[in-house]
Amino acid sequence: MQHCRGQAQAAAWLSAQIRTGRVTHAYLLTGQHLLPLKEMGRAFAKALHCQNPIQGDSCDKCLNCLRFEHGNDPDYLEV
């Protein structure tokens, strides 16, 4: 999962949630720097929608990953 400096622990924890199948109904990402949090949340959402996740990260090759990258994922809305 993509992460910025200082977010490695959070990114590893989120990846572990996907790998172990222990994803909950909601996550709240907070902090001072909005852009890195937005990127991490986006990477997490992409990995959740991925059809073939690799070690808790998205494969970047399946139909869902391609839709996500092109902004065509019907289950993802960024506000």
Side-chain angles (χ1 to χ4, degrees):
M1 183 169 306
Q2 297 172 332
H3 58 80
C4 294
R5 188 177 45 205
Q7 295 180 333
Q9 185 177 8
W13 185 80
L14 290 172
S15 289
Q17 299 298 293
I18 295 171
R19 279 194 317 274
T20 60
R22 299 167 86 185
V23 179
T24 64
H25 73 284
Y27 292 88
L28 179 62
L29 305 176
T30 64
Q32 293 178 337
H33 304 289
L34 219 46
L35 186 58
L37 291 173
K38 183 177 176 180
E39 290 172 0
M40 187 183 321
R42 191 166 168 22
F44 183 58
K46 183 178 176 186
L48 284 174
H49 288 119
C50 181
Q51 295 170 328
N52 306 306
I54 303 167
Q55 302 266 331
D57 202 358
S58 59
C59 71
D60 295 328
K61 296 177 183 175
C62 70
L63 180 61
N64 288 352
C65 285
L66 295 175
R67 282 182 180 161
F68 199 92
E69 280 302 311
H70 292 100
N72 297 326
D73 189 324
D75 296 321
Y76 180 78
L77 175 65
E78 198 170 292
V79 281

